Amino acid sequence: VSISSGDGIATSGDIRLAVGTAQKAAGSVVLSAGVSATTHGGSVEIASGRGRESSGTIAVRTQFSEGSSGAVVVSTGSAVQSSTGSITLSSGVSAESTAGAIGITAGQSGSGSGSTISIVAGHSVNDAGGAIVVGTGGTSRTTSGAVAIGSADGITGSGMVNMVTGTTSRGDSGSVSISTGEAPRGAAGSISVA
């Protein structure tokens, strides 16, 4: 099944999928690929159009509500005999300018506490748990990127920054290592504790 709009000299036509309004529960829009009994299921691909000046934007968001707004859930399916799928967030490569940034920001609160951003690695029953790796981009000519971890300023007090390893009941707990890189032709970086 192919649905397409017509070509145009100035502007091509739009394709809109919309559900009507309702006094109670409004209808949903469901995009689902085909199921395979023996091999791979079908894929769902959403891509913006290509342009000479810039490509189009893809916006995934929930609408405003006088109560609670809806959630945006991005998850892969479960698997029985093999690995589950991965989730990859990446910006494109820029040959002559700056590559796009990836920003993760929690919402602002008017009266309650600010929202939290949680990054948790996976739990394992029979093997080692997953790791969290935070690294900067490298460079072949100048200085690599920096990693900044800090709490924000506050009126009555600023937040804490905690670096702790987990407890263990049968072995050794993990270590906390703070070190600077080697500099064969220059001065190695310093560690300052104030």
Side-chain angles (χ1 to χ4, degrees):
V1 178
S2 176
I3 302 174
S4 62
S5 64
D7 298 332
I9 297 177
T11 305
S12 60
D14 296 332
I15 297 177
R16 297 179 181 272
L17 297 176
V19 178
T21 59
Q23 294 295 326
K24 293 185 178 180
S28 302
V29 176
V30 179
L31 296 176
S32 179
V35 178
S36 174
T38 57
T39 58
H40 304 289
S43 300
V44 175
E45 180 177 349
I46 301 175
S48 65
R50 179 181 177 180
R52 181 177 294 273
E53 295 183 358
S54 64
S55 60
T57 300
I58 297 177
V60 180
R61 61 177 180 267
T62 61
Q63 289 287 14
F64 167 81
S65 174
E66 295 180 356
S68 299
S69 62
V72 176
V73 179
V74 179
S75 63
T76 63
S78 301
V80 177
Q81 298 179 354
S82 187
S83 301
T84 61
S86 301
I87 296 176
T88 303
L89 297 176
S90 63
S91 63
V93 177
S94 177
E96 298 180 358
S97 184
T98 304
I102 297 176
I104 301 176
T105 305
Q108 182 178 351
S109 300
S111 58
S113 301
S115 299
T116 302
I117 297 177
S118 299
I119 301 176
V120 181
H123 174 79
S124 176
V125 177
N126 297 320
D127 209 333
I132 296 177
V133 179
V134 179
T136 66
T139 176
S140 57
R141 294 185 179 181
T142 59
T143 305
S144 62
V147 175
I149 301 176
S151 63
D153 297 335
I155 302 299
T156 59
S158 60
M160 297 177 59
V161 176
N162 294 328
M163 297 179 60
V164 296
T165 63
T167 59
T168 177
S169 59
R170 297 184 180 180
D172 299 329
S173 63
S175 302
V176 176
S177 177
I178 301 176
S179 62
T180 63
E182 298 179 357
R185 297 183 180 181
S190 59
I191 298 175
S192 299
V193 179

